[in-house]
Amino acid sequence: SILKLRDSNSPISLPADLPPIFQSCPTCPTQHSCAVNVAETVCPPVLQRVASNCSDTESFRELMQERQRLLKERCQNAYTGSKTGKAAEKFYFDKVGSDGLVWCPVFKAASSTTNSHFCPLYYDGPNVKDTCDHPGANIFRKDPFQGSRAPANTPTLLIVRHPFERLLSAYHDKIQAPRSGNDGFLTQSIRLSAAKHRFLAPQFSERRDSLAEEALRMAKKQYMTHPVERGQHVYINGSSNPFANPLCATFEEFTRSVVMGQYNDPHWRHVSEYCAPCTEHYDYILKTEDYQCEFVQLLEDIKAKNVLDREDLTHMANVNKGKGGSLTDRTFIYKYFATLPDDLLDAISEWYRADCDLFDYNCERTVCEIREWRKRNGIEVEKLIINMK
C-alpha cells in the first residue's frame, strides 16, 4: 500500500503564517564565514528583498549597462579561466522586436514563461494559448531558431536567477515530484537517492543496484497513476527497501549529488558555463526576481509591440504561489536550505561561486541568512543516515 507522509522535504512542521523573524538586522554569526570582515558585517533583513529600479526606459538602460559593466569587470579580474568556450545554446527569434532577439535560455530562470510570450508569434494552429503556455512547448528547440542565423547586430538576452532559488526550483520540479510520464527525471531521482548518500546497513550494500531498480518500479507505478503534490514525499508502507522510504531523492541527497558533479543537468548547471557570459556578449541581463518589471522594459526597448500587445502578458515569472514562494518572500527558500548541514551549505555556495559573483548575488550572505533563520526558528538539521535493522 502507498502512504503519503509529511509536508515538505523534512520532518519539521512550520506554522502557516510565519511572523517576521527580524526586529532589526542581526549580526552574522561569527563562527561562520558569512562574508568578508564578518565581525563588522550585518545581515540584511530577510523575508523581503529590494526590487531593481526599472520603472522607466532610462532607469532600465542604466541598469542593463551597470550589469554589463559589473560582469565585464568580474570576468577580467576573477574569472580569466572562463574566457573560453561558447554558449551551449542560443536561439534567434526574428519576429521579436524590430531587429529580432537572440536568447540563451537558462532553465529554471523563467525560460518557460519567456517562451510562452514568444511562442504565439510562430504558432498559428488551434488552441494557441494552451499550446504555448505548456512548459514543454519549447519552440526554440527547432532548427529555424538556431542563434547562428542571427545578423551580427541582433540584441542578445540572458535571464538569470539567484542560484539557491534556481536549485530549489529544479528539485521541486524535476526530482521531488516528477510529472507523470517524465520517466527520465524519475529515473534520475531514484539514482540520486542511491548515489552513495543514503547509507545502508551491510546486508544491503551488495544489493544496492537491484534495490534501486526495485524502487524505480515502485516509483513509476506511484507517479504514473497518483499525482504527487510538490512538497510531499511518498513512502511505501511495509517495504524494507531503503530507496522506497522515501521514494525519490531527499533535498540533501539531491544537493550533495549536484555539488559533487554527479549529474550536470541544464536545469541546475552553472550559467557561467551554459551561456558563457565571459565570452559571449549580452545586451540585456534580466533577473527572474524582477522579471515582471524588467521583461516589459526589455520589450519596450527592442520595440516588440507584437508581444507587448498580448493580453496575457501579465502572467509573468513562473513563481507558483502553490509552492509557497513569491517574487520577494524568501521564507520558502530558508525552510528547505535550513535543514542542510553547514558543510553542504558552504559547498553549494562555493559550487555556484562564479554565478553568484558574475551576476551580483551574495550567496555567502544568503548562507548567513539561512543559518540565522534556522537558529531563530529552532530548526533541526535533517539526518541523512537511514538505519536498517
Side-chain angles (χ1 to χ4, degrees):
S1 60
I2 296 172
L3 180 64
K4 295 183 182 180
L5 296 181
R6 28 181 219 266
D7 180 43
S8 89
N9 176 65
S10 67
I12 63 176
S13 178
L14 298 177
D17 297 317
L18 287 166
I21 58 174
F22 287 179
Q23 299 303 318
S24 60
C25 291
T27 302
C28 288
T30 56
Q31 67 268 35
H32 300 301
S33 58
C34 293
V36 179
N37 300 324
V38 69
E40 290 79 30
T41 302
V42 175
C43 290
V46 298
L47 300 181
Q48 298 292 322
R49 55 173 301 280
V50 178
S52 65
N53 181 16
C54 66
S55 57
D56 56 71
T57 300
E58 182 179 352
S59 298
F60 175 70
R61 289 177 177 174
E62 290 177 356
L63 179 64
M64 295 300 102
Q65 291 171 3
E66 174 59 20
R67 287 178 183 170
Q68 288 181 37
R69 184 200 65 76
L70 182 65
L71 176 63
K72 181 179 180 180
E73 176 185 286
R74 294 187 176 180
C75 284
Q76 290 176 340
N77 295 342
Y79 295 96
T80 54
S82 300
K83 294 182 179 179
T84 59
K86 295 183 178 181
E89 296 181 305
K90 290 175 75 174
F91 300 96
Y92 175 44
F93 293 85
D94 59 342
K95 298 180 182 179
V96 177
S98 57
D99 297 315
L101 184 69
V102 171
W103 173 39
C104 179
V106 176
F107 295 103
K108 307 314 301 176
S111 60
S112 294
T113 303
T114 304
N115 172 79
S116 73
H117 294 315
F118 296 160
C119 175
L121 302 180
Y122 299 90
Y123 183 80
D124 57 3
N127 302 318
V128 174
K129 188 178 187 304
D130 291 342
T131 299
C132 289
D133 283 354
H134 189 276
N138 293 328
I139 57 170
F140 50 80
R141 290 292 192 189
K142 299 177 181 179
D143 289 339
F145 295 94
Q146 294 305 309
S148 58
R149 296 176 52 248
N153 64 340
T154 307
T156 49
L157 169 66
L158 176 64
I159 305 174
V160 298
R161 186 178 187 178
H162 192 297
F164 279 55
E165 294 183 13
R166 182 170 168 244
L167 186 64
L168 180 56
S169 179
Y171 174 69
H172 267 296
D173 194 37
K174 304 301 180 184
I175 302 301
Q176 186 175 30
R179 290 187 181 90
S180 177
N182 198 338
D183 187 49
F185 280 106
L186 184 56
T187 302
Q188 181 163 287
S189 185
I190 294 294
R191 287 176 177 170
L192 285 168
S193 70
K196 302 179 181 178
H197 304 311
R198 194 170 292 185
F199 303 118
L200 307 179
Q203 64 264 36
F204 289 106
S205 59
E206 294 182 358
R207 298 173 52 211
R208 179 184 298 272
D209 292 341
S210 62
L211 287 168
E213 287 299 319
E214 179 185 59
L216 178 59
R217 290 192 294 271
M218 295 179 187
K220 284 182 178 180
K221 182 178 180 181
Q222 164 64 20
Y223 286 95
M224 302 302 176
T225 57
H226 298 82
V228 177
E229 294 290 333
R230 288 185 176 88
Q232 288 185 330
H233 278 312
V234 177
Y235 292 71
I236 304 299
N237 204 18
S239 174
S240 62
N241 186 333
F243 299 135
N245 291 293
L247 283 172
C248 295
T250 66
F251 189 50
E252 181 174 352
E253 289 167 341
F254 168 65
T255 51
R256 285 198 182 278
S257 294
V258 168
V259 298
M260 292 175 67
Q262 292 177 310
Y263 293 95
N264 195 13
D265 186 272
H267 291 84
W268 52 83
R269 187 177 300 164
H270 303 105
V271 179
S272 55
E273 171 192 345
Y274 194 74
C275 291
C278 287
T279 55
E280 304 269 6
H281 175 74
Y282 292 97
D283 298 295
Y284 300 95
I285 302 173
L286 309 189
K287 293 193 173 183
T288 306
E289 296 85 358
D290 296 300
Y291 186 92
Q292 186 161 354
C293 175
E294 295 181 6
F295 186 69
V296 171
Q297 289 294 344
L298 162 73
L299 297 178
E300 293 275 9
D301 209 43
I302 64 174
K303 299 178 175 58
K305 190 175 185 299
N306 51 359
V307 181
L308 278 166
D309 286 347
R310 288 189 60 213
E311 293 181 0
D312 62 344
L313 192 62
T314 53
H315 96 269
M316 288 294 182
N318 187 20
V319 179
N320 187 342
K321 292 183 178 180
K323 300 177 186 177
S326 74
L327 289 171
T328 57
D329 189 343
R330 291 175 127 182
T331 310
F332 194 60
I333 307 300
Y334 301 145
K335 176 181 175 182
Y336 271 78
F337 282 94
T339 65
L340 302 181
D342 286 339
D343 70 307
L344 184 51
L345 288 175
D346 289 333
I348 295 169
S349 179
E350 182 62 31
W351 197 77
Y352 276 120
R353 177 172 293 278
D355 285 5
C356 297
D357 290 349
L358 294 176
F359 303 110
D360 202 28
Y361 289 111
N362 192 334
C363 291
E364 289 185 344
R365 185 70 59 84
T366 300
V367 170
C368 176
E369 292 176 8
I370 291 167
R371 286 171 173 151
E372 185 69 22
W373 191 92
R374 178 206 290 158
K375 181 177 70 175
R376 287 175 176 256
N377 285 275
I379 305 302
E380 296 291 333
V381 174
E382 188 172 273
K383 301 299 183 183
L384 183 61
I385 297 177
I386 296 177
N387 294 317
M388 301 295 295
K389 296 183 178 179

